[in-house]
């Protein structure tokens, strides 16, 4: 009924607060040196300042996130706007406000809640279950320790509790839900008559004087921005693989060296019995655990068939004991290295001796084995050829990139020497502006907008380089522009054309087509409005030209254009048949509403609608609470904030 994201709005807000909003630390009384050299304050929350350095740091982090997400399409000029910076400051204020409320009200999070939250993170799970090993690996990759992560998460969860009870308990009255449900499902039967502008195009005329008059009155709207015609070289995988030949010997050698990749690898399934050793245990405890493990290993080896029952009885691994110690099909990351090595040394149904790991002592059994199978060379020949070509291309690409970085500077006024040395072809494209690519009719022959390289040339980085002083004014080669790890460009401006208003003869056809479109649309609208008035005068009679009846609702509009659907739904249900009209682009649609009936509803849909409305109501209550908290905690946005929002540098004191 509504978009999925609206169904989960409350959860999305909660996740964003925990995982995206950066953690921050509240500081105490400033020292004397900070008092003397105080940073500009942008806002205060309960007397505590949000300073310009804090804002600048958050601002840099935000831009870096956009840069990583958008890659070569990142353009700071389009993203880093005053409105974005204003929103960022408001977010920092809300963060500080909620943290202060959490501290003042002693909000806390239990150990159980913290454990459950961490265990629910997909990145630290193996086969849907929390994995301590993976948890440590993920944190290590982020340069974090479990203690620091858990402290930060505990703090963020406590802050989230400020708003969570408000939004999650919001309820829209049943009468409101019922009323909205009726509006969504109500069905209306209608007929349409469409007056298309195309039908009137041959009936309108445009004279040369009309074109001249429009041109004189609208010259500025025709202005073409400053543009350049660029020459450029592209170094990519295609350029690096050009001319690469792969021999039969190369294919055979590659196949033999990588045989295990071409087919199904060996798979091993294992079970284990774990005798745990507590962290920090003394030697006596360790020896006792080892002795117990040895006794179990002896018993298991004597009766391998009873391993599962023994695991259920003796294993201290709560996650696998109930399933007879089953570890599933074992992969390299699923178990510690010591266990993997021991499992790989077992035959099917064989029981190992005692194996020690960081968790304690294990007894292992190989419960199933699937031998690996290799595909024949003929079946993977094309794949191998492609992989070899890519490997050769990667090496050549690195060499060519190094050469390219040097060559473009050796003769700055031409790309030809670089092209000759690397075996590349100089390409050319016109109609590149500071903000994008001109349409082909404005750019002329060789328009960048219709080029196969349009996406590369429309990169903000490429456009920025083309309009830099040394490239635009001095017609020098640019340096190498790296758009992605496997795509590099070098550009130069062959010709620059200043901003100008094109002469009438170049835009006459465009103006003529525009005036024809406008006048045809006006004629269609006039004819439609005339037909509408005639139909409204005798509503009981169905005029000619209307299509077959169709039944629509807000929930099922049947591709009815939004302006027409709105006109249909605005008609009072008590005065039928009724007529209405709506413009849809250049066309005009007359609609006859014949019948209004209540729609069928389902309990599942009603429950979903109630949930969506409750989420919307909860979001509104969150906003209202934040407004009250801002008043209670005396939030103030200070004059210096405007400089940060406008992007002005701070004045040095």
């Amino acid at each position: 009924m509504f978009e999925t994201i609206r169904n989960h709005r409350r959860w999305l807000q909660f996740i964003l607060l925990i995982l995206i909003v950066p953690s921050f630390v509240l500081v105490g009384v400033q020292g004397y040196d900070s008092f003397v050299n105080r940073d500009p304050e942008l806002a205060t929350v309960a007397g505590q300042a949000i300073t310009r350095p804090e804002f600048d740091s958050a601002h840099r982090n935000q831009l870096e996130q956009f840069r990583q997400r958008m890659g070569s399409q990142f353009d700071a000029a389009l993203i880093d706007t005053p409105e974005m910076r204003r929103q960022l400051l408001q977010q920092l204020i809300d963060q500080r406000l909620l943290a202060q409320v959490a501290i003042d009200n002693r909000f806390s999070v239990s150990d159980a809640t913290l454990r459950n939250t961490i265990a629910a993170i997909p990145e630290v799970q193996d086969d849907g279950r929390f994995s301590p090993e993976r948890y440590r690996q993920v944190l290590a990759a982020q340069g974090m320790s479990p203690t620091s992560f858990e402290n930060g998460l505990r703090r963020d969860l406590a802050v989230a509790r400020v708003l969570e009870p408000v939004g999650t308990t919001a309820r829209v009255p049943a009468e409101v839900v019922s009323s909205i449900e009726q509006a969504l499902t109500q069905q209306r039967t209608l007929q349409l008559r469409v007056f298309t502008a195309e039908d009137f195009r041959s009936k309108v005329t445009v004279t040369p004087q009309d074109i001249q008059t429009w041109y004189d009155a609208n010259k500025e709207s025709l202005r073409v921005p400053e543009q350049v015609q660029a020459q450029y070289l592209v170094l990519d995988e295609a350029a690096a693989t050009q001319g690469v030949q792969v021999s039969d010997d190369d294919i055979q050698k590659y196949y033999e060296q990588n045989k295990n990749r071409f087919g199904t690898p060996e798979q091993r399934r294992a079970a284990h019995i774990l005798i745990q050793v507590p962290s920090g245990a003394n030697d006596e405890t360790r020896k006792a655990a080892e002795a117990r493990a040895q006794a179990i290993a002896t018993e298991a080896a004597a009766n391998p068939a009873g391993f599962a029952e023994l695991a259920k009885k003796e294993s201290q691994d709560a996650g696998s004991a109930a399933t007879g110690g089953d570890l599933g099909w074992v992969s390299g990351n699923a178990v510690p290295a010591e266990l993997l090595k021991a499992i790989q040394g077992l035959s099917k149904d064989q029981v190992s001796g005692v194996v020690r790991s960081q968790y304690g002592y294990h007894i292992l059994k190989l419960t199933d084995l699937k031998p690996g199978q290799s595909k024949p060379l003929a079946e993977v020949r094309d794949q191998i050829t492609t992989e070899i070509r890519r490997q050769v291309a990667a090496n050549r690409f690195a060499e060519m990139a190094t050469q390219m970085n040097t060559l473009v500077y050796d003769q700055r006024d031409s790309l030809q020497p670089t092209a000759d040395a690397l075996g590349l072809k100089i390409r050319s494209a016109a109609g590149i502006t500071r903000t994008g690519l001109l349409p082909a009719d404005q750019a002329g022959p060789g328009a960048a907008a219709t080029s196969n390289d349009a996406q590369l040339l429309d990169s903000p980085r490429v456009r920025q380089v083309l309009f830099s002083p040394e490239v635009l004014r001095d017609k020098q080669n640019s340096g190498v522009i790296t758009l992605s790890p496997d795509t590099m460009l070098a550009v130069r401006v062959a010709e620059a054309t200043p901003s100008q208003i094109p002469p009438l003869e170049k835009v006459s056809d465009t103006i003529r087509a525009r005036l024809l479109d406008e006048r045809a649309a006006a004629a269609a609208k006039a004819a439609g409005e005339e037909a509408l008035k005639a139909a409204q005068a005798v509503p009981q009679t169905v005029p000619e030209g209307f299509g077959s009846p169709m039944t629509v609702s807000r929930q099922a509009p049947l591709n009815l254009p939004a302006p027409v659907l709105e006109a249909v739904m605005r008609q009072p249900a008590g005065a039928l048949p009724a007529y209405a009209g709506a413009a849809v682009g250049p066309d005009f649609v007359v609609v006859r509403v014949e019948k209004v009936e209540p729609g069928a509803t389902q309990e599942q849909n009603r429950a979903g609608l109630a949930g969506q409305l409750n989420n919307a109501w909860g979001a509104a209550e969150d906003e209202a609470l934040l407004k009250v908290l801002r008043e209670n905690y005396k939030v103030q946005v200070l004059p210096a904030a405007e400089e940060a929002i406008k992007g002005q540098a701070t004045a040095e004191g």
Side-chain angles (χ1 to χ4, degrees), residues 141-252:
Q142 300 295 323
M144 302 177 66
S145 68
T147 300
S148 63
F149 173 75
E150 289 162 13
N151 288 341
L153 181 58
R154 188 187 296 273
R155 180 178 61 249
D156 291 342
L157 288 171
V159 171
R161 291 188 60 192
V162 176
L163 290 181
E164 184 185 7
V166 177
T168 55
T169 57
R171 294 293 181 271
V172 174
E175 295 81 0
V176 175
V177 176
S178 177
S179 176
I180 294 177
E181 181 185 33
Q182 291 174 15
L184 286 171
T185 60
Q186 184 188 76
Q187 296 181 330
R188 297 193 170 206
T189 302
L190 55 95
Q191 293 175 275
L192 301 177
R193 183 180 180 185
V194 182
F195 294 82
T196 63
E198 189 61 33
D199 291 340
F200 293 87
R201 192 177 181 85
S202 61
K203 302 176 183 178
V204 298
T205 59
V206 175
T207 67
Q209 185 57 47
D210 293 335
I211 296 173
Q212 181 70 59
T213 301
W214 192 95
Y215 178 80
D216 293 339
N218 299 276
K219 280 184 178 181
E220 197 57 38
S221 67
L222 298 171
R223 179 176 292 279
V224 178
E226 180 183 23
Q227 59 176 299
V228 299
Q229 179 182 357
Q231 293 181 338
Y232 59 101
L233 299 175
V234 178
L235 175 57
D236 55 12
E237 182 180 340
T241 56
Q242 187 175 1
V244 173
Q245 300 295 326
V246 181
S247 68
D248 291 340
D249 287 343
D250 292 335
I251 295 173
Q252 184 66 47

Side-chain angles (χ1 to χ4, degrees), residues 56-206:
D56 289 342
S57 176
H59 181 231
R60 287 192 297 271
N61 290 338
Q62 186 179 53
L63 289 180
E64 183 58 31
Q65 289 175 2
F66 277 115
R67 181 178 287 106
Q68 293 178 0
R69 190 182 312 153
M70 300 176 67
S72 62
Q73 294 303 309
F74 174 77
D75 188 347
L78 298 178
I79 295 172
D80 188 17
T81 62
E83 180 57 31
M84 189 202 77
R85 292 190 289 270
R86 189 183 303 278
Q87 291 177 1
L88 176 61
L89 178 59
Q90 295 301 323
Q91 291 170 7
L92 292 176
I93 291 172
D94 288 342
Q95 292 169 15
R96 180 68 59 84
L97 175 64
L98 294 174
Q100 191 61 50
V101 173
I103 292 172
D104 291 349
N105 290 275
R106 295 181 173 84
F107 286 175
S108 61
V109 175
S110 68
D111 292 341
T113 299
L114 182 65
R115 284 196 302 269
N116 292 338
T117 302
I118 294 173
I121 300 174
E123 288 76 10
V124 300
Q125 293 178 347
D126 248 335
D127 295 329
R129 294 186 300 180
F130 173 72
S131 167
E133 181 67 20
R134 179 156 295 188
Y135 176 53
R136 284 187 287 270
Q137 291 174 353
V138 170
L139 292 184
Q142 300 295 323
M144 302 177 66
S145 68
T147 300
S148 63
F149 173 75
E150 289 162 13
N151 288 341
L153 181 58
R154 188 187 296 273
R155 180 178 61 249
D156 291 342
L157 288 171
V159 171
R161 291 188 60 192
V162 176
L163 290 181
E164 184 185 7
V166 177
T168 55
T169 57
R171 294 293 181 271
V172 174
E175 295 81 0
V176 175
V177 176
S178 177
S179 176
I180 294 177
E181 181 185 33
Q182 291 174 15
L184 286 171
T185 60
Q186 184 188 76
Q187 296 181 330
R188 297 193 170 206
T189 302
L190 55 95
Q191 293 175 275
L192 301 177
R193 183 180 180 185
V194 182
F195 294 82
T196 63
E198 189 61 33
D199 291 340
F200 293 87
R201 192 177 181 85
S202 61
K203 302 176 183 178
V204 298
T205 59
V206 175

